[in-house]
Amino acid sequence: MEMAKDLYYQIYQKNTTDPCLDNNMFTCKLINDGVNTGIYTITQLGLKKNKDTQSIITNANFSVFKNATYILIGDGIILDSSLFNTLPNFYNKASIYIYNESIPIPNNIILPINLNQVTFTFINVPIPSNIFGGSIEVFNILGSGYGFSLPNLLPENVALKRFSTILGYYSPFPSNAGSALKNLTSLRLSFNNDITEIGYRNYSFPTFQPFNKLQTLYITFINFGNDSNSQLWNFEQSITNLTTLNDFHITGKGFILNSSSPSKFTDFSNLPESFFIYFSNGCDLISNCNSKPCLKLPAKSGISVIGCDFNIKNIDFTNVTYMKMQNNNFEQELPTNDDDDDDGGGSNINYSTTRLDFQDNLLIGSIPEEYCQFYKSKYPTLSYNELTGQIPTCFSCMGANYTITKNLLPNQFIDFNEKSLPTNCETFNFSSNYNKIVKTDGSTIITIKGKDFGWDFSLPSSNNNNNNNNNNNNNNNNNNNNNNNITLLITIPNNEITLSIPKGEGTNKTFIANFGYQFKFSQTFTYSYELPVIKSYSFGSNSKFYLNGNGFSFLNNNSITLNGVSYRMTIANAASASETNNNNNYTSSISFIDDDGGGETNPIDSMLIGDQFNVSINVGNQVSDVVTFYLYKSISVSISSLSNIKLNISGSSNNSLVAVTFDGEFGTTNSMIVFVSINGIQCNVNSVNRQSLTISSYPSVPSVGKYQISINVGGLIFTDQVEYIETPTTNTTSSEENDNDGSFGSLSSQPISLLSLIILSIISLIILSK
């Protein structure tokens, strides 16, 4: 405590027996974390002279204050150059705050361990490079004189994370700061550019090296805000290459838009997603920009503008998720997506993701109708402007006491003020023109348009009684009860909702939701599940029989009628992606329930190849059409046949004298039960036998490549791909050339124009001989 007593005497010119009793200068605590030893240590020092005394010079030795975490060297306290060399190796992280530094700092300074933060309120001496070689994490220079300067080059530093400094002609920015300050995350630069200041000299704005981790950059210009009294710089483009930058603040007048730049905007699009730019009383980048977009921003960006004059309609909101304007004294209307200007239309506002905070400006005109579409979490704040006219009905329906409408007042609307009550909302409605037929597999999302239904909804308890019961048997019947597990989303407030319909079956389903102020409007939505349709059959592993189609039940065992006899089949399984994409045109499959001793049988097992069977299905009391199939266990096309056949991209018709034959196993000679399609378009089947299938026409395709071919024999479907090529331009003169040119594969699939020429030649010879 002796050094503390000595310091006390130097500052106040009087003695003290216990420095800890003077809480204005020292803060103390018991040693050993509160154990009552009666011994205190000093944790904070605040050296402040009395107001009526002159500056005090002290050469105090601070090395004994190892438990200190904060040292303040106040105004009028001048320390000699030994200060930094007498600081102790602190036991804990410590900060030192120096009000005025006018004594040169030694170049050979060695900073103590755990000195975490250093702040100079004013400094008028150079900073030695050794300060950047220590463990300081936060270094602030808040004011400077002409004697201040930074090192031209900085040593490599991994400790410093936040750095603030003043820059000017005599104190330029170190050229290697980007590469030297490895872990710097925040940089605050203040530029004195008031040319009326005595001794002012023009200087260059620094070019920035990329920083490894820089996230926040503040640039402040210190002047009186008058162009004629300020040095101005073209915007420094190297800032746009700081690819780790998240926040960029520009305060004051200093940057101007480069009029010689070929682009009309400032491009920040290389910066990270969610980048935020702040303008405060210095907005030349947007105020002197005469056309959209002014700023080119990365996705999910934000903009804050305070005290500026610029055209809002020159802001492209495509990538803007938040924009704040405040104290911008200009008269203009709110931006909309319907703005008619010379730059290609509206402002590209995304009402689901963009938040506009435009309070306390001089905005005029009325609120656009499309502002009803802002999401509740993104509602616009438009209070304290000069907005007039009638307010959109979506807002008047809710009254002035609603969460969103509170942020529209006060203004000068002719029909809406702080006392306005909710209206009867005669404009509330939902369109009845929506898709009311849904799939049984739970994949249908119904989109319904509406108007002025608000931003919220509630569901009556009858909708929610069985929300967790996916197997409610009521889904199987025709009924008027509310369907459970429907998910309602307001996708566009006051304009559009969606209903995600769960798995189910049956007709005449209803769903009720309440909308509007205090949910006083009840709306009933109706829908029915699709009629079941049987498309085909197939055999899976272990020769298991499947019926394929749409509208099968995904909730209960399915019931079919096969040749007049009823059978139970499994709950539907969704078709695989490959089956759905292979133009098979079905979404689900069912199979016979395995015999568990209950007497269920599989009638297919007792049928013969080629047997006819008729089948229908009943789902939710909706019965499908009866479909006639013929039983075949497998059909196929030989690999060699598919690889050899090359079809012409221009296609062929029945009168083109072109026939294409596929070799394989087809199981029938009845062409009436065989259907072939390529790329989803039906072909004409000419003939079929057990080993071959011939088509006399096939469709054209847009380009060369492989296309889906589907062969349906009695309801059993085979799918693969067939290749299309362009017609060769060279003439063929022999069968050997035709075999080798790759144009149409096997002879049976080639154009028969050569054969026609031979036949015509023979006929001509016969006629001549007569």
Side-chain angles (χ1 to χ4, degrees):
M1 290 293 178
E2 294 304 317
M3 181 56 67
K5 295 177 183 179
D6 184 53
L7 267 175
Y8 189 89
Y9 180 80
Q10 291 185 47
I11 301 301
Y12 297 113
Q13 297 299 303
K14 59 182 179 179
N15 293 318
T16 179
T17 58
D18 189 352
C20 292
L21 294 178
D22 188 338
N23 293 326
N24 290 327
M25 187 167 180
F26 300 106
T27 300
C28 305
K29 73 172 184 178
L30 282 168
I31 294 179
N32 297 329
D33 296 326
V35 176
N36 191 11
T37 61
I39 302 174
Y40 285 81
T41 185
I42 293 175
T43 58
Q44 295 188 19
L45 293 82
L47 278 61
K48 306 174 186 177
K49 74 178 183 67
N50 289 328
K51 294 181 180 179
D52 55 350
T53 61
Q54 296 180 345
S55 295
I56 298 170
I57 300 176
T58 177
N59 59 354
N61 187 334
F62 289 84
S63 62
V64 297
F65 301 109
K66 294 184 178 181
N67 284 309
T69 58
Y70 179 79
I71 298 175
L72 169 66
I73 312 299
D75 185 21
I77 306 296
I78 301 174
L79 301 176
D80 64 18
S81 60
S82 65
L83 165 67
F84 287 99
N85 285 331
T86 65
L87 291 174
N89 286 326
F90 299 100
Y91 291 143
N92 302 293
K93 287 187 175 182
S95 301
I96 184 167
Y97 191 102
I98 302 172
Y99 190 87
N100 190 327
E101 182 65 41
S102 57
I103 304 291
I105 303 172
N107 290 327
N108 62 349
I109 182 176
I110 299 176
L111 294 178
I113 297 173
N114 279 334
L115 180 57
N116 179 255
Q117 180 171 334
V118 175
T119 298
F120 293 100
T121 300
F122 183 85
I123 185 170
N124 199 28
V125 297
I127 296 291
S129 61
N130 279 12
I131 280 189
F132 290 92
S135 60
I136 298 175
E137 294 183 9
V138 181
F139 188 17
N140 299 316
I141 299 167
L142 306 181
S144 68
Y146 287 146
F148 162 73
S149 65
L150 293 168
N152 291 328
L153 295 174
L154 300 179
E156 185 173 303
N157 181 300
V158 296
L160 191 62
K161 295 180 180 177
R162 291 183 289 164
F163 181 36
S164 303
T165 188
I166 306 292
L167 298 178
Y169 178 83
Y170 299 100
S171 53
F173 193 59
S175 60
N176 71 328
S179 59
L181 304 179
K182 301 292 186 182
N183 292 314
L184 192 72
T185 59
S186 176
L187 179 61
R188 292 174 179 261
L189 302 177
S190 297
F191 294 84
N192 181 1
N193 64 330
D194 180 11
I195 63 177
T196 64
E197 186 178 278
I198 297 175
Y200 185 88
R201 298 179 66 178
N202 285 344
Y203 58 98
S204 299
F205 197 89
T207 299
F208 291 92
Q209 281 187 330
F211 287 80
N212 290 336
K213 298 182 179 180
L214 187 65
Q215 298 176 7
T216 304
L217 175 62
Y218 294 82
I219 291 181
T220 300
F221 298 102
I222 305 172
N223 53 63
F224 293 104
N226 190 322
D227 287 6
S228 61
N229 294 331
S230 305
Q231 182 181 353
L232 304 176
W233 295 273
N234 286 329
F235 177 73
E236 177 51 50
Q237 293 296 325
S238 62
I239 294 173
T240 64
N241 294 323
L242 302 176
T243 55
T244 59
L245 197 63
N246 292 321
D247 296 289
F248 180 32
H249 301 248
I250 303 174
T251 302
K253 188 69 176 179
F255 280 141
I256 58 175
L257 192 65
N258 189 349
S259 59
S260 63
S261 174
S263 62
K264 298 180 181 179
F265 55 83
T266 306
D267 190 353
F268 294 98
S269 59
N270 287 330
L271 302 186
E273 190 175 279
S274 301
F275 170 73
F276 210 115
I277 187 168
Y278 302 78
F279 298 95
S280 179
N281 301 304
C283 311
D284 192 83
L285 296 187
I286 52 177
S287 61
N288 285 351
C289 171
N290 296 319
S291 60
K292 202 184 282 97
C294 287
L295 301 175
K296 192 173 182 181
L297 299 169
K300 301 180 181 179
S301 291
I303 306 173
S304 175
V305 184
I306 298 175
C308 293
D309 184 3
F310 71 104
N311 187 346
I312 308 175
K313 294 182 179 180
N314 285 338
I315 300 296
D316 186 345
F317 287 84
T318 299
N319 289 329
V320 176
T321 56
Y322 179 77
M323 183 170 184
K324 179 177 182 178
M325 292 196 311
Q326 194 169 6
N327 297 326
N328 300 288
N329 296 324
F330 50 80
E331 293 186 356
Q332 54 184 295
E333 296 181 348
L334 290 165
T336 74
N337 290 342
D338 295 326
D339 292 335
D340 187 14
D341 55 36
D342 296 331
D343 294 299
S347 298
N348 299 319
I349 300 172
N350 187 329
Y351 297 107
S352 66
T353 60
T354 302
R355 172 81 194 281
L356 300 183
D357 185 351
F358 286 178
Q359 67 175 336
D360 198 13
N361 297 281
L362 287 179
L363 294 168
I364 61 174
S366 59
I367 297 180
E369 180 74 24
E370 60 191 75
Y371 275 40
C372 293
Q373 299 178 19
F374 275 106
Y375 274 38
K376 186 176 182 180
S377 61
K378 307 292 182 181
Y379 58 82
T381 301
L382 305 176
S383 53
Y384 297 100
N385 283 286
E386 301 295 332
L387 297 172
T388 57
Q390 291 184 327
I391 198 167
T393 51
C394 69
F395 299 119
S396 59
C397 285
M398 307 303 290
N401 199 36
Y402 184 60
T403 303
I404 293 176
T405 53
K406 286 179 180 179
N407 290 277
L408 307 180
L409 299 167
N411 270 293
Q412 307 299 319
F413 305 117
I414 62 176
D415 61 344
F416 197 74
N417 56 49
E418 289 85 348
K419 297 181 180 180
S420 295
L421 298 175
T423 68
N424 291 328
C425 203
E426 296 178 356
T427 52
F428 168 87
N429 76 84
F430 281 98
S431 171
S432 60
N433 184 23
Y434 61 88
N435 174 34
K436 297 182 178 66
I437 304 299
V438 303
K439 294 183 178 298
T440 58
D441 63 0
S443 65
T444 300
I445 298 177
I446 300 175
T447 299
I448 305 172
K449 291 291 185 179
K451 181 176 175 58
D452 292 349
F453 54 78
W455 291 262
D456 298 293
F457 66 89
S458 71
L459 302 180
S461 57
S462 57
N463 276 346
N464 297 314
N465 285 338
N466 298 304
N467 263 0
N468 296 316
N469 184 5
N470 290 331
N471 294 313
N472 189 334
N473 289 330
N474 285 338
N475 282 330
N476 302 326
N477 303 316
N478 296 334
N479 62 80
N480 293 317
N481 293 334
N482 292 294
N483 195 47
N484 55 2
N485 291 332
I486 288 178
T487 300
L488 188 157
L489 291 178
I490 295 179
T491 48
I492 305 177
N494 297 290
N495 183 268
E496 181 184 279
I497 67 170
T498 61
L499 302 179
S500 296
I501 308 299
K503 297 175 181 178
E505 55 194 61
T507 58
N508 300 323
K509 306 292 184 178
T510 61
F511 178 77
I512 299 174
N514 300 323
F515 300 88
Y517 181 72
Q518 295 184 343
F519 309 118
K520 63 182 179 180
F521 298 110
S522 180
Q523 182 72 30
T524 300
F525 304 98
T526 62
Y527 64 95
S528 294
Y529 286 97
E530 62 186 327
L531 184 73
V533 176
I534 298 174
K535 293 285 188 178
S536 63
Y537 69 90
S538 59
F539 288 92
S541 59
N542 299 321
S543 300
K544 192 169 187 176
F545 178 84
Y546 290 90
L547 281 177
N548 309 311
N550 303 324
F552 297 170
S553 177
F554 284 79
L555 295 176
N556 303 285
N557 291 331
N558 284 273
S559 175
I560 69 166
T561 299
L562 192 150
N563 290 340
V565 180
S566 296
Y567 297 92
R568 284 197 312 148
M569 300 192 82
T570 59
I571 296 173
N573 292 315
S576 66
S578 61
E579 291 171 327
T580 304
N581 294 333
N582 283 345
N583 294 321
N584 287 331
N585 200 26
Y586 63 83
T587 59
S588 55
S589 299
I590 55 177
S591 62
F592 288 100
I593 294 176
D594 294 332
D595 188 0
D596 57 0
E600 295 287 345
T601 59
N602 180 348
I604 300 298
D605 291 342
S606 61
M607 294 176 61
L608 300 177
I609 298 300
D611 278 356
Q612 174 182 313
F613 59 99
N614 302 314
V615 60
S616 63
I617 186 170
N618 184 330
V619 179
N621 289 335
Q622 294 193 94
V623 181
S624 72
D625 291 337
V626 177
V627 180
T628 298
F629 291 142
Y630 296 83
L631 182 63
Y632 297 97
K633 292 297 180 71
S634 68
I635 57 173
S636 64
V637 177
S638 68
I639 296 176
S640 60
S641 179
L642 281 175
S643 62
N644 288 333
I645 292 175
K646 315 292 182 184
L647 303 182
N648 188 340
I649 62 171
S650 59
S652 73
S653 57
N654 286 329
N655 57 4
S656 66
L657 299 178
V658 175
V660 181
T661 298
F662 299 90
D663 298 328
E665 295 183 16
F666 304 103
T668 184
T669 59
N670 184 1
S671 61
M672 300 298 294
I673 64 171
V674 178
F675 304 92
V676 178
S677 64
I678 297 177
N679 199 31
I681 301 174
Q682 203 71 26
C683 304
N684 185 65
V685 177
N686 187 48
S687 62
V688 64
N689 59 46
R690 298 185 186 278
Q691 287 79 38
S692 65
L693 167 66
T694 301
I695 58 175
S696 57
S697 69
Y698 58 85
S700 61
V701 294
S703 61
V704 298
K706 292 187 176 182
Y707 292 83
Q708 192 71 45
I709 182 172
S710 175
I711 301 175
N712 182 330
V713 178
L716 184 65
I717 296 177
F718 167 86
T719 59
D720 210 308
Q721 291 187 321
V722 65
E723 186 173 2
Y724 274 78
I725 66 170
E726 292 186 9
T727 303
T729 57
T730 57
N731 293 326
T732 57
T733 58
S734 68
S735 61
E736 288 79 11
E737 291 175 345
N738 286 336
D739 287 340
N740 294 328
D741 67 10
S743 58
F744 291 93
S746 64
L747 183 62
S748 59
S749 65
Q750 296 178 16
I752 59 173
S753 56
L754 180 60
L755 180 59
S756 300
L757 290 173
I758 296 173
I759 294 173
L760 289 173
S761 299
I762 295 173
I763 294 173
S764 298
L765 290 173
I766 294 173
I767 294 173
L768 288 174
S769 64
K770 290 184 178 181

